[in-house]
Amino acid sequence: QQQQQQQESSSSHPGLCHMYIHLSEMSANPSRALPCCDQLRKGFPHGGHLIHMATHIDVLVGDYDSCVQYNYNAVAADDHAMKSCPSMMGKSAFYFGYIVHDYHMLVYGGILGGMEQIAMETALKLSQQHLSEDFFAKHPSMAPGLESYSVSEAHVMIRFGRWKEILQQLELPKDADLMLFRAATITFARGIAYANLGELENAKKEADKYDELRLRPATKERTLHNNKIHDILAVDAPMLRGEIAYHEGRHDEAFTLLREAVHLQDSLHYDEPWGKMQAVRHALGGLLLEQGIVKEAEDVFRKDLSLFPLNPFGLLGLIQCLQRQINNNTGSLTEEETNAKSEELKKLKEQLAHQRSSKWADVEIVVPCACCDSKLVQQE
């Protein structure tokens, strides 16, 4: 309460703004920190981390355009600082972790906001220029805390369904012990890719390799910010097995596994970005919708949008659920319920159109998750 009063009377103080954003981001009303965000954006154009801090709130209120734009600005400021003062801002300095975090948040905003090109460009710059295997070979003591940021491009490829590119372009590290999170994440991505391409035996082999990597003792010693990578990798184990089961036609088993993955994702410690870079609910909801389990899919997408407001994948999923219910109404909905759903549907479509008007929104989103069949999800 005292900090809130100070913020209201001295909202231009960068230290107070910084702390108030952290206080508000874990609250039920993160938007109350937006005035502080504006102060940091306008007042410190060369302060990479201060520019970035505003995006902790942007992403929580569904402003993925600002999340990407201001992390883009933060990265530019960071690059300048690294060149100007390498002793304090270089890769061996404490601040380097903050620089990595700015890149990471930009990729996260791009993934959630459906902005592929900027997300991929940033992810590749992070992994190739800053967090390469050669870098960690020279600085192995930095691997436990930073290596987990080195594989963002795999998350971008999964988000946008680049299955062939995953298999053709993502190379496993030479030293899987040194680059443990990267090795495990690429293996997971390969398994998801094979499952979606119908190569299920190969997918199962990758799932077995993934389990071996994620269960190595070192995963309990390494972190991605607030979470152990052991716990993050645990989320993707049932997700991968669930995808395989689904594409084998074992739908009930698949949904049980995907629900488990959702539970594990929800159980991760609070972090921004989340430890798991993309929402498992998009896969669960989309595949439920494919199978005509519309009410549960609707519940899944509503919960998703409560966690990631206005994200286009959740919006589209809920739109498709409501559209299916309205089109297939055989008397189960009253006229009042039908009208209410129609009004909500109109609002959701407007929100989606606005979100896709961003200059960074460069892909057409036709399914809630790339693992879905657009013809089945969109059927009436």
Side-chain angles (χ1 to χ4, degrees):
Q1 184 178 5
Q2 182 180 5
Q3 189 172 20
Q4 183 172 357
Q5 292 172 348
Q6 289 176 320
Q7 186 269 334
E8 290 171 350
S9 62
S10 305
S11 60
S12 62
H13 189 289
L16 285 176
C17 286
H18 188 160
M19 292 299 104
Y20 191 71
I21 287 171
H22 278 310
L23 176 68
S24 299
E25 70 177 316
M26 293 182 283
S27 74
N29 184 22
S31 62
R32 66 185 181 181
L34 285 171
C36 279
C37 296
D38 291 338
Q39 289 290 342
L40 294 182
R41 282 190 243 267
K42 297 173 183 176
F44 304 92
H46 303 297
H49 187 64
L50 291 178
I51 301 169
H52 151 85
M53 274 306 304
T55 69
H56 278 243
I57 302 300
D58 291 332
V59 78
L60 290 172
V61 300
D63 187 356
Y64 305 109
D65 187 67
S66 291
C67 179
V68 168
Q69 180 64 61
Y70 287 101
N71 276 296
Y72 183 86
N73 294 354
V75 165
D78 289 336
D79 287 348
H80 177 74
M82 290 180 75
K83 294 174 183 176
S84 302
C85 191
S87 62
M88 294 185 65
M89 302 291 190
K91 293 183 180 181
S92 60
F94 174 77
Y95 188 73
F96 182 58
Y98 289 87
I99 293 172
V100 168
H101 180 53
D102 297 349
Y103 277 85
H104 191 221
M105 184 70 101
L106 198 166
V107 176
Y108 181 62
I111 286 175
L112 269 178
M115 304 164 181
E116 182 178 17
Q117 182 176 342
I118 186 62
M120 180 57 81
E121 288 176 355
T122 305
L124 289 174
K125 184 176 179 181
L126 179 59
S127 64
Q128 295 176 0
Q129 295 186 22
H130 294 309
L131 300 179
S132 67
E133 186 169 2
D134 287 343
F135 169 75
F136 287 112
K138 295 176 182 176
H139 306 280
S141 64
M142 299 181 76
L146 288 181
E147 185 269 326
S148 52
Y149 294 89
S150 71
V151 68
S152 295
E153 67 268 34
H155 296 295
V156 179
M157 289 181 175
I158 293 170
R159 169 76 278 177
F160 296 101
R162 306 309 179 198
W163 311 130
K164 293 181 180 179
E165 289 85 348
I166 286 171
L167 298 174
Q168 295 169 358
Q169 298 176 15
L170 287 180
E171 295 185 4
L172 288 163
K174 298 174 184 177
D175 187 344
D177 291 320
L178 178 67
M179 305 294 289
L180 183 52
F181 192 77
R182 183 174 179 86
T185 301
I186 290 177
T187 302
F188 165 73
R190 288 175 59 83
I192 291 288
Y194 277 128
N196 281 277
L197 291 171
E199 298 184 36
L200 298 174
E201 290 306 313
N202 283 332
K204 291 176 184 178
K205 291 177 183 177
E206 297 295 336
D208 290 340
K209 294 176 186 176
Y210 179 74
D211 283 339
E212 188 277 321
L213 288 165
R214 74 179 182 86
L215 294 173
R216 290 187 183 184
T219 61
K220 295 183 179 181
E221 306 300 323
R222 295 193 178 195
T223 61
L224 196 162
H225 208 219
N226 289 341
N227 287 283
K228 300 288 187 182
I229 68 168
H230 177 273
D231 298 328
I232 296 171
L233 295 174
V235 177
D236 284 334
M239 183 175 183
L240 176 51
R241 298 288 182 180
E243 290 266 3
I244 294 170
Y246 185 86
H247 290 287
E248 285 190 322
R250 296 179 284 117
H251 297 151
D252 289 344
E253 180 183 347
F255 293 140
T256 297
L257 287 163
L258 290 173
R259 292 184 193 108
E260 179 186 352
V262 166
H263 171 71
L264 290 171
Q265 182 174 24
D266 288 349
S267 299
L268 293 173
H269 296 311
Y270 175 81
D271 211 347
E272 206 64 71
W274 277 36
K276 168 71 177 166
M277 287 286 278
Q278 49 196 310
V280 180
R281 282 186 173 87
H282 295 162
L284 173 60
L287 295 177
L288 284 167
L289 190 55
E290 271 194 14
Q291 295 305 311
I293 309 174
V294 181
K295 185 61 178 72
E296 184 181 352
E298 178 187 347
D299 293 342
V300 167
F301 288 122
R302 288 192 185 281
K303 179 62 176 179
D304 173 72
L305 287 166
S306 75
L307 297 170
F308 309 105
L310 302 175
N311 82 83
F313 306 97
L315 286 173
L316 179 65
L318 185 53
I319 286 169
Q320 291 172 335
C321 287
L322 296 181
Q323 192 71 66
R324 183 89 64 95
Q325 292 174 46
I326 293 169
N327 291 347
N328 293 348
N329 183 24
T330 57
S332 58
L333 296 176
T334 66
E335 182 178 354
E336 183 178 356
E337 289 171 333
T338 301
N339 290 338
K341 287 184 181 293
S342 296
E343 284 299 312
E344 183 181 13
L345 185 61
K346 179 182 177 182
K347 180 180 178 181
L348 290 167
K349 288 181 176 179
E350 290 172 352
Q351 290 174 337
L352 181 59
H354 176 73
Q355 199 280 330
R356 301 318 291 156
S357 67
S358 165
K359 70 176 183 179
W360 304 105
D362 54 356
V363 292
E364 183 182 6
I365 297 176
V366 296
V367 287
C369 179
C371 64
C372 301
D373 184 328
S374 60
K375 294 180 181 178
L376 293 176
V377 171
Q378 295 173 14
Q379 69 181 352
E380 297 184 0

